[in-house]
Amino acid sequence: MNESQGLVVVANRLPVFRVRGDAGEEWQTSPGGLVSALRPILRGRPSRWVGWTGRADDKQEPFEHDGIDNCPVPLSHDELRTFYDGFCNRTLWPLYHAALRPPRFSRRWWRAYRAVNERFADAAAATAPPNSVVWIHDYHLQLVPDMVRRRRPDLRIGFFLHIPFPPQELFATIPWRKQLLQGLLGADVVGFQTPLGGYNFGQLSRRFTSARRKKGRLDYHNRSVIARAFPISIDVQLYTDLAKRDDVKRRAQEFRRRTGGRRIILGVDRLDYTKGIDSRLRAFALLLESKRISPADAVFVQVAVPSRERVAEYRDLKAGIERLVGEINGAYGEIGRPAVHYVRRSFPADELVALYIAADVLAITPLRDGMNLVAKEYVASRVDDTGVLVLSEFSGAARELSGALLVNPHDLEGVSSAIHSALEMSEQDQRMRMRKSRRALERNTVFDWADDFLAELTG
Ligand code: GDG
């Protein structure tokens, strides 16, 4: 991609959020790999970021922040319920995650999804410089590629799906399956976290649209569409640098002291039913029950970041996990020495890294997960190559982090045995495994990911 070519990123959220400062409300850059990966690419050329500000019925005008030109797309209170909580998070999210909760199909939500996608497409089409590149992100905006193409055939259009693309028989149940596929086929490149996503998309496109396979690509309306995997990653150097900072190391020591010098098994997740938080807690309880480990020797620390609390399934999940933590502490805790530390809030990035350094084991056990960046952040933070990652085979990250102990999160016995082996593992084996994962991570950072996608789109 040359430097004079414009780039428009389109995502549900802008890369900023509002905070209350001394002079009233101000913008702050959102944490996360996507923003840091794209910022250097956006800064060097004519570029825009199209997205929602995070506040309903916002009248915010376009504004610049931290070198990025933001173009806000408004959402009403009603659309927050129907488009976001409804079609995005009660239809698409569960369906794309193996139907872990029954997806709900509502024609009203679908109409809102279409209308909001039109609005994003209008904004992208209005702001994109001639012959520029538009990169659309995630399940909220799957109709936007085709909608932008109809408005602006001069543009190169890319789409990346951050969550898993579902198996064919599940996708086939969606009443609007054809429209979703046609929406995505409007892109020149459709990116997935894993090759299976790309394969399922290709098969479904051939079954439900006029797309045909031709020389490894999809031939659709006399255009060629590339559908393949671009596994997302993290800013590895950022985590390595944080892990080497003295204040972060001191904080890690303090976490260890506060947990009574016990071995630490850590979980860090958004409070989401896809993440398998409850099964990993049950697996830990099983270990304690079988006396393979004693609560005097090991503690489970679970950081759960609040998420989508307006949606009933999420409120139920929260209540269920909190009951389970109570049960485990009731059975195995002592006064001043709980078996599980449960913290329901988000941590600043440096605190998170201090936790990664303090943890002997990181347990990441999603039932389904597009990638899982927390697993990659743990590996990047373990600069001395010790520590063990217990990782669900149903996460995208399992394909790359080959030094992890892979588990089936539905098999509680298997998860508890893996946690046990992780706690017992010799330092030599830990280093061997961690180095293997680290090498894989260094071959694919978030910068490689963005370069690879944009090269495919513009090359
Ligand atoms: C979706 C897909 C895919 C978490 N707690 C805190 C905190 N975090 C940060 C982590 C990590 C990010 O949030 C979570 O990313 P994940 O990948 O684990 O999960 P999702 O939010 O479900 O993301 C997923 C991802 O998109 C990218 O494509 O990998 O599969 O579901 O970066 O560090 N950050 C801070 N404090 C916290 O307490 N600062």
mmCIF file with all atom_site columns, all heavy atoms in Angstrom, residues 206-226:
data_model
loop_
_atom_site.group_PDB
_atom_site.id
_atom_site.type_symbol
_atom_site.label_atom_id
_atom_site.label_alt_id
_atom_site.label_comp_id
_atom_site.label_asym_id
_atom_site.label_entity_id
_atom_site.label_seq_id
_atom_site.pdbx_PDB_ins_code
_atom_site.Cartn_x
_atom_site.Cartn_y
_atom_site.Cartn_z
_atom_site.occupancy
_atom_site.B_iso_or_equiv
_atom_site.pdbx_formal_charge
_atom_site.auth_seq_id
_atom_site.auth_comp_id
_atom_site.auth_asym_id
_atom_site.auth_atom_id
_atom_site.pdbx_PDB_model_num
ATOM 1   N N   . ARG A 1 206 ? -21.021 -20.674 -1.954  1.00 0.00 ? 206 ARG A N   1
ATOM 2   C CA  . ARG A 1 206 ? -21.345 -21.442 -3.161  1.00 0.00 ? 206 ARG A CA  1
ATOM 3   C C   . ARG A 1 206 ? -22.745 -22.040 -3.066  1.00 0.00 ? 206 ARG A C   1
ATOM 4   O O   . ARG A 1 206 ? -23.436 -22.226 -4.051  1.00 0.00 ? 206 ARG A O   1
ATOM 5   C CB  . ARG A 1 206 ? -20.299 -22.525 -3.374  1.00 0.00 ? 206 ARG A CB  1
ATOM 6   C CG  . ARG A 1 206 ? -18.975 -21.914 -3.840  1.00 0.00 ? 206 ARG A CG  1
ATOM 7   C CD  . ARG A 1 206 ? -17.812 -22.828 -3.686  1.00 0.00 ? 206 ARG A CD  1
ATOM 8   N NE  . ARG A 1 206 ? -17.995 -24.073 -4.397  1.00 0.00 ? 206 ARG A NE  1
ATOM 9   C CZ  . ARG A 1 206 ? -17.442 -25.226 -4.060  1.00 0.00 ? 206 ARG A CZ  1
ATOM 10  N NH1 . ARG A 1 206 ? -16.655 -25.273 -3.007  1.00 0.00 ? 206 ARG A NH1 1
ATOM 11  N NH2 . ARG A 1 206 ? -17.654 -26.310 -4.746  1.00 0.00 ? 206 ARG A NH2 1
ATOM 12  N N   . ARG A 1 207 ? -23.132 -22.367 -1.829  1.00 0.00 ? 207 ARG A N   1
ATOM 13  C CA  . ARG A 1 207 ? -24.446 -22.990 -1.655  1.00 0.00 ? 207 ARG A CA  1
ATOM 14  C C   . ARG A 1 207 ? -25.581 -21.975 -1.763  1.00 0.00 ? 207 ARG A C   1
ATOM 15  O O   . ARG A 1 207 ? -26.631 -22.270 -2.327  1.00 0.00 ? 207 ARG A O   1
ATOM 16  C CB  . ARG A 1 207 ? -24.458 -23.672 -0.281  1.00 0.00 ? 207 ARG A CB  1
ATOM 17  C CG  . ARG A 1 207 ? -25.661 -24.512 -0.017  1.00 0.00 ? 207 ARG A CG  1
ATOM 18  C CD  . ARG A 1 207 ? -25.377 -25.467 1.134   1.00 0.00 ? 207 ARG A CD  1
ATOM 19  N NE  . ARG A 1 207 ? -26.580 -25.728 1.890   1.00 0.00 ? 207 ARG A NE  1
ATOM 20  C CZ  . ARG A 1 207 ? -26.618 -26.044 3.172   1.00 0.00 ? 207 ARG A CZ  1
ATOM 21  N NH1 . ARG A 1 207 ? -25.485 -26.155 3.865   1.00 0.00 ? 207 ARG A NH1 1
ATOM 22  N NH2 . ARG A 1 207 ? -27.752 -26.276 3.772   1.00 0.00 ? 207 ARG A NH2 1
ATOM 23  N N   . PHE A 1 208 ? -25.395 -20.790 -1.232  1.00 0.00 ? 208 PHE A N   1
ATOM 24  C CA  . PHE A 1 208 ? -26.535 -19.866 -1.124  1.00 0.00 ? 208 PHE A CA  1
ATOM 25  C C   . PHE A 1 208 ? -26.444 -18.631 -2.032  1.00 0.00 ? 208 PHE A C   1
ATOM 26  O O   . PHE A 1 208 ? -27.363 -17.818 -2.051  1.00 0.00 ? 208 PHE A O   1
ATOM 27  C CB  . PHE A 1 208 ? -26.702 -19.403 0.329   1.00 0.00 ? 208 PHE A CB  1
ATOM 28  C CG  . PHE A 1 208 ? -27.105 -20.517 1.256   1.00 0.00 ? 208 PHE A CG  1
ATOM 29  C CD1 . PHE A 1 208 ? -26.274 -20.911 2.303   1.00 0.00 ? 208 PHE A CD1 1
ATOM 30  C CD2 . PHE A 1 208 ? -28.316 -21.194 1.075   1.00 0.00 ? 208 PHE A CD2 1
ATOM 31  C CE1 . PHE A 1 208 ? -26.636 -21.947 3.150   1.00 0.00 ? 208 PHE A CE1 1
ATOM 32  C CE2 . PHE A 1 208 ? -28.685 -22.228 1.919   1.00 0.00 ? 208 PHE A CE2 1
ATOM 33  C CZ  . PHE A 1 208 ? -27.840 -22.618 2.961   1.00 0.00 ? 208 PHE A CZ  1
ATOM 34  N N   . THR A 1 209 ? -25.320 -18.438 -2.737  1.00 0.00 ? 209 THR A N   1
ATOM 35  C CA  . THR A 1 209 ? -25.219 -17.296 -3.666  1.00 0.00 ? 209 THR A CA  1
ATOM 36  C C   . THR A 1 209 ? -24.667 -17.826 -4.997  1.00 0.00 ? 209 THR A C   1
ATOM 37  O O   . THR A 1 209 ? -24.371 -19.011 -5.114  1.00 0.00 ? 209 THR A O   1
ATOM 38  C CB  . THR A 1 209 ? -24.258 -16.195 -3.141  1.00 0.00 ? 209 THR A CB  1
ATOM 39  O OG1 . THR A 1 209 ? -22.906 -16.622 -3.340  1.00 0.00 ? 209 THR A OG1 1
ATOM 40  C CG2 . THR A 1 209 ? -24.485 -15.884 -1.676  1.00 0.00 ? 209 THR A CG2 1
ATOM 41  N N   . SER A 1 210 ? -24.468 -16.930 -5.932  1.00 0.00 ? 210 SER A N   1
ATOM 42  C CA  . SER A 1 210 ? -23.967 -17.364 -7.249  1.00 0.00 ? 210 SER A CA  1
ATOM 43  C C   . SER A 1 210 ? -22.445 -17.464 -7.265  1.00 0.00 ? 210 SER A C   1
ATOM 44  O O   . SER A 1 210 ? -21.858 -17.678 -8.332  1.00 0.00 ? 210 SER A O   1
ATOM 45  C CB  . SER A 1 210 ? -24.456 -16.381 -8.318  1.00 0.00 ? 210 SER A CB  1
ATOM 46  O OG  . SER A 1 210 ? -23.933 -15.100 -8.017  1.00 0.00 ? 210 SER A OG  1
ATOM 47  N N   . ALA A 1 211 ? -21.787 -17.314 -6.120  1.00 0.00 ? 211 ALA A N   1
ATOM 48  C CA  . ALA A 1 211 ? -20.318 -17.370 -6.088  1.00 0.00 ? 211 ALA A CA  1
ATOM 49  C C   . ALA A 1 211 ? -19.831 -18.761 -6.498  1.00 0.00 ? 211 ALA A C   1
ATOM 50  O O   . ALA A 1 211 ? -20.441 -19.772 -6.141  1.00 0.00 ? 211 ALA A O   1
ATOM 51  C CB  . ALA A 1 211 ? -19.813 -17.027 -4.691  1.00 0.00 ? 211 ALA A CB  1
ATOM 52  N N   . ARG A 1 212 ? -18.729 -18.818 -7.254  1.00 0.00 ? 212 ARG A N   1
ATOM 53  C CA  . ARG A 1 212 ? -18.122 -20.088 -7.663  1.00 0.00 ? 212 ARG A CA  1
ATOM 54  C C   . ARG A 1 212 ? -16.638 -20.066 -7.323  1.00 0.00 ? 212 ARG A C   1
ATOM 55  O O   . ARG A 1 212 ? -16.022 -19.000 -7.351  1.00 0.00 ? 212 ARG A O   1
ATOM 56  C CB  . ARG A 1 212 ? -18.292 -20.314 -9.178  1.00 0.00 ? 212 ARG A CB  1
ATOM 57  C CG  . ARG A 1 212 ? -19.736 -20.557 -9.592  1.00 0.00 ? 212 ARG A CG  1
ATOM 58  C CD  . ARG A 1 212 ? -20.278 -21.868 -9.001  1.00 0.00 ? 212 ARG A CD  1
ATOM 59  N NE  . ARG A 1 212 ? -21.735 -21.933 -9.073  1.00 0.00 ? 212 ARG A NE  1
ATOM 60  C CZ  . ARG A 1 212 ? -22.570 -21.711 -8.061  1.00 0.00 ? 212 ARG A CZ  1
ATOM 61  N NH1 . ARG A 1 212 ? -22.104 -21.397 -6.873  1.00 0.00 ? 212 ARG A NH1 1
ATOM 62  N NH2 . ARG A 1 212 ? -23.868 -21.798 -8.204  1.00 0.00 ? 212 ARG A NH2 1
ATOM 63  N N   . ARG A 1 213 ? -16.076 -21.255 -7.077  1.00 0.00 ? 213 ARG A N   1
ATOM 64  C CA  . ARG A 1 213 ? -14.653 -21.300 -6.772  1.00 0.00 ? 213 ARG A CA  1
ATOM 65  C C   . ARG A 1 213 ? -13.843 -21.222 -8.061  1.00 0.00 ? 213 ARG A C   1
ATOM 66  O O   . ARG A 1 213 ? -14.167 -21.887 -9.043  1.00 0.00 ? 213 ARG A O   1
ATOM 67  C CB  . ARG A 1 213 ? -14.315 -22.594 -6.024  1.00 0.00 ? 213 ARG A CB  1
ATOM 68  C CG  . ARG A 1 213 ? -13.121 -22.392 -5.109  1.00 0.00 ? 213 ARG A CG  1
ATOM 69  C CD  . ARG A 1 213 ? -12.363 -23.590 -4.723  1.00 0.00 ? 213 ARG A CD  1
ATOM 70  N NE  . ARG A 1 213 ? -13.116 -24.781 -4.391  1.00 0.00 ? 213 ARG A NE  1
ATOM 71  C CZ  . ARG A 1 213 ? -13.475 -25.114 -3.156  1.00 0.00 ? 213 ARG A CZ  1
ATOM 72  N NH1 . ARG A 1 213 ? -13.237 -24.300 -2.155  1.00 0.00 ? 213 ARG A NH1 1
ATOM 73  N NH2 . ARG A 1 213 ? -14.087 -26.265 -2.951  1.00 0.00 ? 213 ARG A NH2 1
ATOM 74  N N   . LYS A 1 214 ? -12.793 -20.402 -8.064  1.00 0.00 ? 214 LYS A N   1
ATOM 75  C CA  . LYS A 1 214 ? -11.954 -20.289 -9.246  1.00 0.00 ? 214 LYS A CA  1
ATOM 76  C C   . LYS A 1 214 ? -10.531 -19.954 -8.807  1.00 0.00 ? 214 LYS A C   1
ATOM 77  O O   . LYS A 1 214 ? -10.307 -18.909 -8.194  1.00 0.00 ? 214 LYS A O   1
ATOM 78  C CB  . LYS A 1 214 ? -12.513 -19.169 -10.138 1.00 0.00 ? 214 LYS A CB  1
ATOM 79  C CG  . LYS A 1 214 ? -12.014 -19.202 -11.562 1.00 0.00 ? 214 LYS A CG  1
ATOM 80  C CD  . LYS A 1 214 ? -12.840 -18.205 -12.380 1.00 0.00 ? 214 LYS A CD  1
ATOM 81  C CE  . LYS A 1 214 ? -12.134 -17.786 -13.623 1.00 0.00 ? 214 LYS A CE  1
ATOM 82  N NZ  . LYS A 1 214 ? -12.828 -16.682 -14.281 1.00 0.00 ? 214 LYS A NZ  1
ATOM 83  N N   . LYS A 1 215 ? -9.626  -20.856 -9.081  1.00 0.00 ? 215 LYS A N   1
ATOM 84  C CA  . LYS A 1 215 ? -8.193  -20.685 -8.751  1.00 0.00 ? 215 LYS A CA  1
ATOM 85  C C   . LYS A 1 215 ? -7.989  -20.227 -7.308  1.00 0.00 ? 215 LYS A C   1
ATOM 86  O O   . LYS A 1 215 ? -7.313  -19.228 -7.043  1.00 0.00 ? 215 LYS A O   1
ATOM 87  C CB  . LYS A 1 215 ? -7.558  -19.659 -9.699  1.00 0.00 ? 215 LYS A CB  1
ATOM 88  C CG  . LYS A 1 215 ? -7.516  -20.128 -11.149 1.00 0.00 ? 215 LYS A CG  1
ATOM 89  C CD  . LYS A 1 215 ? -6.680  -19.166 -11.964 1.00 0.00 ? 215 LYS A CD  1
ATOM 90  C CE  . LYS A 1 215 ? -6.786  -19.496 -13.428 1.00 0.00 ? 215 LYS A CE  1
ATOM 91  N NZ  . LYS A 1 215 ? -6.881  -18.343 -14.289 1.00 0.00 ? 215 LYS A NZ  1
ATOM 92  N N   . GLY A 1 216 ? -8.613  -20.933 -6.385  1.00 0.00 ? 216 GLY A N   1
ATOM 93  C CA  . GLY A 1 216 ? -8.409  -20.641 -4.966  1.00 0.00 ? 216 GLY A CA  1
ATOM 94  C C   . GLY A 1 216 ? -9.147  -19.400 -4.479  1.00 0.00 ? 216 GLY A C   1
ATOM 95  O O   . GLY A 1 216 ? -9.010  -19.005 -3.317  1.00 0.00 ? 216 GLY A O   1
ATOM 96  N N   . ARG A 1 217 ? -9.898  -18.753 -5.374  1.00 0.00 ? 217 ARG A N   1
ATOM 97  C CA  . ARG A 1 217 ? -10.667 -17.569 -4.958  1.00 0.00 ? 217 ARG A CA  1
ATOM 98  C C   . ARG A 1 217 ? -12.138 -17.808 -5.216  1.00 0.00 ? 217 ARG A C   1
ATOM 99  O O   . ARG A 1 217 ? -12.511 -18.843 -5.766  1.00 0.00 ? 217 ARG A O   1
ATOM 100 C CB  . ARG A 1 217 ? -10.215 -16.363 -5.766  1.00 0.00 ? 217 ARG A CB  1
ATOM 101 C CG  . ARG A 1 217 ? -8.757  -16.063 -5.524  1.00 0.00 ? 217 ARG A CG  1
ATOM 102 C CD  . ARG A 1 217 ? -8.310  -14.890 -6.329  1.00 0.00 ? 217 ARG A CD  1
ATOM 103 N NE  . ARG A 1 217 ? -6.961  -14.537 -5.913  1.00 0.00 ? 217 ARG A NE  1
ATOM 104 C CZ  . ARG A 1 217 ? -6.403  -13.362 -6.084  1.00 0.00 ? 217 ARG A CZ  1
ATOM 105 N NH1 . ARG A 1 217 ? -7.084  -12.404 -6.677  1.00 0.00 ? 217 ARG A NH1 1
ATOM 106 N NH2 . ARG A 1 217 ? -5.186  -13.118 -5.668  1.00 0.00 ? 217 ARG A NH2 1
ATOM 107 N N   . LEU A 1 218 ? -12.962 -16.837 -4.847  1.00 0.00 ? 218 LEU A N   1
ATOM 108 C CA  . LEU A 1 218 ? -14.384 -16.951 -5.166  1.00 0.00 ? 218 LEU A CA  1
ATOM 109 C C   . LEU A 1 218 ? -14.684 -15.989 -6.304  1.00 0.00 ? 218 LEU A C   1
ATOM 110 O O   . LEU A 1 218 ? -14.284 -14.816 -6.257  1.00 0.00 ? 218 LEU A O   1
ATOM 111 C CB  . LEU A 1 218 ? -15.235 -16.590 -3.946  1.00 0.00 ? 218 LEU A CB  1
ATOM 112 C CG  . LEU A 1 218 ? -15.206 -17.609 -2.814  1.00 0.00 ? 218 LEU A CG  1
ATOM 113 C CD1 . LEU A 1 218 ? -15.760 -16.996 -1.529  1.00 0.00 ? 218 LEU A CD1 1
ATOM 114 C CD2 . LEU A 1 218 ? -16.002 -18.861 -3.181  1.00 0.00 ? 218 LEU A CD2 1
ATOM 115 N N   . ASP A 1 219 ? -15.352 -16.494 -7.307  1.00 0.00 ? 219 ASP A N   1
ATOM 116 C CA  . ASP A 1 219 ? -15.732 -15.661 -8.438  1.00 0.00 ? 219 ASP A CA  1
ATOM 117 C C   . ASP A 1 219 ? -17.177 -15.230 -8.193  1.00 0.00 ? 219 ASP A C   1
ATOM 118 O O   . ASP A 1 219 ? -18.066 -16.070 -8.080  1.00 0.00 ? 219 ASP A O   1
ATOM 119 C CB  . ASP A 1 219 ? -15.629 -16.515 -9.713  1.00 0.00 ? 219 ASP A CB  1
ATOM 120 C CG  . ASP A 1 219 ? -15.601 -15.650 -10.939 1.00 0.00 ? 219 ASP A CG  1
ATOM 121 O OD1 . ASP A 1 219 ? -14.798 -14.713 -10.952 1.00 0.00 ? 219 ASP A OD1 1
ATOM 122 O OD2 . ASP A 1 219 ? -16.404 -15.904 -11.857 1.00 0.00 ? 219 ASP A OD2 1
ATOM 123 N N   . TYR A 1 220 ? -17.400 -13.926 -8.059  1.00 0.00 ? 220 TYR A N   1
ATOM 124 C CA  . TYR A 1 220 ? -18.739 -13.441 -7.699  1.00 0.00 ? 220 TYR A CA  1
ATOM 125 C C   . TYR A 1 220 ? -19.021 -12.158 -8.476  1.00 0.00 ? 220 TYR A C   1
ATOM 126 O O   . TYR A 1 220 ? -18.246 -11.191 -8.378  1.00 0.00 ? 220 TYR A O   1
ATOM 127 C CB  . TYR A 1 220 ? -18.800 -13.174 -6.189  1.00 0.00 ? 220 TYR A CB  1
ATOM 128 C CG  . TYR A 1 220 ? -20.134 -12.699 -5.689  1.00 0.00 ? 220 TYR A CG  1
ATOM 129 C CD1 . TYR A 1 220 ? -21.242 -13.547 -5.677  1.00 0.00 ? 220 TYR A CD1 1
ATOM 130 C CD2 . TYR A 1 220 ? -20.291 -11.400 -5.213  1.00 0.00 ? 220 TYR A CD2 1
ATOM 131 C CE1 . TYR A 1 220 ? -22.471 -13.100 -5.215  1.00 0.00 ? 220 TYR A CE1 1
ATOM 132 C CE2 . TYR A 1 220 ? -21.518 -10.953 -4.735  1.00 0.00 ? 220 TYR A CE2 1
ATOM 133 C CZ  . TYR A 1 220 ? -22.599 -11.803 -4.740  1.00 0.00 ? 220 TYR A CZ  1
ATOM 134 O OH  . TYR A 1 220 ? -23.811 -11.365 -4.276  1.00 0.00 ? 220 TYR A OH  1
ATOM 135 N N   . HIS A 1 221 ? -20.093 -12.155 -9.281  1.00 0.00 ? 221 HIS A N   1
ATOM 136 C CA  . HIS A 1 221 ? -20.438 -10.980 -10.087 1.00 0.00 ? 221 HIS A CA  1
ATOM 137 C C   . HIS A 1 221 ? -19.231 -10.472 -10.891 1.00 0.00 ? 221 HIS A C   1
ATOM 138 O O   . HIS A 1 221 ? -18.943 -9.263  -10.891 1.00 0.00 ? 221 HIS A O   1
ATOM 139 C CB  . HIS A 1 221 ? -20.985 -9.845  -9.212  1.00 0.00 ? 221 HIS A CB  1
ATOM 140 C CG  . HIS A 1 221 ? -22.336 -10.175 -8.631  1.00 0.00 ? 221 HIS A CG  1
ATOM 141 N ND1 . HIS A 1 221 ? -23.035 -9.311  -7.828  1.00 0.00 ? 221 HIS A ND1 1
ATOM 142 C CD2 . HIS A 1 221 ? -23.117 -11.267 -8.738  1.00 0.00 ? 221 HIS A CD2 1
ATOM 143 C CE1 . HIS A 1 221 ? -24.177 -9.860  -7.461  1.00 0.00 ? 221 HIS A CE1 1
ATOM 144 N NE2 . HIS A 1 221 ? -24.255 -11.063 -8.012  1.00 0.00 ? 221 HIS A NE2 1
ATOM 145 N N   . ASN A 1 222 ? -18.505 -11.416 -11.508 1.00 0.00 ? 222 ASN A N   1
ATOM 146 C CA  . ASN A 1 222 ? -17.330 -11.071 -12.332 1.00 0.00 ? 222 ASN A CA  1
ATOM 147 C C   . ASN A 1 222 ? -16.219 -10.354 -11.565 1.00 0.00 ? 222 ASN A C   1
ATOM 148 O O   . ASN A 1 222 ? -15.436 -9.615  -12.141 1.00 0.00 ? 222 ASN A O   1
ATOM 149 C CB  . ASN A 1 222 ? -17.730 -10.204 -13.534 1.00 0.00 ? 222 ASN A CB  1
ATOM 150 C CG  . ASN A 1 222 ? -18.633 -10.975 -14.455 1.00 0.00 ? 222 ASN A CG  1
ATOM 151 O OD1 . ASN A 1 222 ? -18.411 -12.181 -14.663 1.00 0.00 ? 222 ASN A OD1 1
ATOM 152 N ND2 . ASN A 1 222 ? -19.653 -10.324 -14.971 1.00 0.00 ? 222 ASN A ND2 1
ATOM 153 N N   . ARG A 1 223 ? -16.198 -10.575 -10.254 1.00 0.00 ? 223 ARG A N   1
ATOM 154 C CA  . ARG A 1 223 ? -15.079 -10.069 -9.458  1.00 0.00 ? 223 ARG A CA  1
ATOM 155 C C   . ARG A 1 223 ? -14.462 -11.260 -8.754  1.00 0.00 ? 223 ARG A C   1
ATOM 156 O O   . ARG A 1 223 ? -15.083 -12.303 -8.636  1.00 0.00 ? 223 ARG A O   1
ATOM 157 C CB  . ARG A 1 223 ? -15.564 -9.103  -8.374  1.00 0.00 ? 223 ARG A CB  1
ATOM 158 C CG  . ARG A 1 223 ? -16.069 -7.775  -8.855  1.00 0.00 ? 223 ARG A CG  1
ATOM 159 C CD  . ARG A 1 223 ? -16.348 -6.873  -7.672  1.00 0.00 ? 223 ARG A CD  1
ATOM 160 N NE  . ARG A 1 223 ? -17.323 -7.454  -6.743  1.00 0.00 ? 223 ARG A NE  1
ATOM 161 C CZ  . ARG A 1 223 ? -17.039 -7.883  -5.515  1.00 0.00 ? 223 ARG A CZ  1
ATOM 162 N NH1 . ARG A 1 223 ? -15.818 -7.798  -5.029  1.00 0.00 ? 223 ARG A NH1 1
ATOM 163 N NH2 . ARG A 1 223 ? -17.991 -8.393  -4.746  1.00 0.00 ? 223 ARG A NH2 1
ATOM 164 N N   . SER A 1 224 ? -13.256 -11.014 -8.255  1.00 0.00 ? 224 SER A N   1
ATOM 165 C CA  . SER A 1 224 ? -12.612 -12.111 -7.557  1.00 0.00 ? 224 SER A CA  1
ATOM 166 C C   . SER A 1 224 ? -12.528 -11.748 -6.072  1.00 0.00 ? 224 SER A C   1
ATOM 167 O O   . SER A 1 224 ? -12.099 -10.645 -5.710  1.00 0.00 ? 224 SER A O   1
ATOM 168 C CB  . SER A 1 224 ? -11.250 -12.264 -8.215  1.00 0.00 ? 224 SER A CB  1
ATOM 169 O OG  . SER A 1 224 ? -10.414 -12.965 -7.425  1.00 0.00 ? 224 SER A OG  1
ATOM 170 N N   . VAL A 1 225 ? -12.991 -12.649 -5.199  1.00 0.00 ? 225 VAL A N   1
ATOM 171 C CA  . VAL A 1 225 ? -13.002 -12.388 -3.754  1.00 0.00 ? 225 VAL A CA  1
ATOM 172 C C   . VAL A 1 225 ? -12.048 -13.382 -3.078  1.00 0.00 ? 225 VAL A C   1
ATOM 173 O O   . VAL A 1 225 ? -12.146 -14.588 -3.299  1.00 0.00 ? 225 VAL A O   1
ATOM 174 C CB  . VAL A 1 225 ? -14.430 -12.563 -3.174  1.00 0.00 ? 225 VAL A CB  1
ATOM 175 C CG1 . VAL A 1 225 ? -14.430 -12.331 -1.664  1.00 0.00 ? 225 VAL A CG1 1
ATOM 176 C CG2 . VAL A 1 225 ? -15.417 -11.629 -3.871  1.00 0.00 ? 225 VAL A CG2 1
ATOM 177 N N   . ILE A 1 226 ? -11.149 -12.838 -2.268  1.00 0.00 ? 226 ILE A N   1
ATOM 178 C CA  . ILE A 1 226 ? -10.226 -13.704 -1.518  1.00 0.00 ? 226 ILE A CA  1
ATOM 179 C C   . ILE A 1 226 ? -10.801 -13.911 -0.127  1.00 0.00 ? 226 ILE A C   1
ATOM 180 O O   . ILE A 1 226 ? -11.154 -12.937 0.550   1.00 0.00 ? 226 ILE A O   1
ATOM 181 C CB  . ILE A 1 226 ? -8.840  -13.039 -1.408  1.00 0.00 ? 226 ILE A CB  1
ATOM 182 C CG1 . ILE A 1 226 ? -8.232  -12.878 -2.809  1.00 0.00 ? 226 ILE A CG1 1
ATOM 183 C CG2 . ILE A 1 226 ? -7.908  -13.849 -0.507  1.00 0.00 ? 226 ILE A CG2 1
ATOM 184 C CD1 . ILE A 1 226 ? -6.979  -12.031 -2.830  1.00 0.00 ? 226 ILE A CD1 1
#
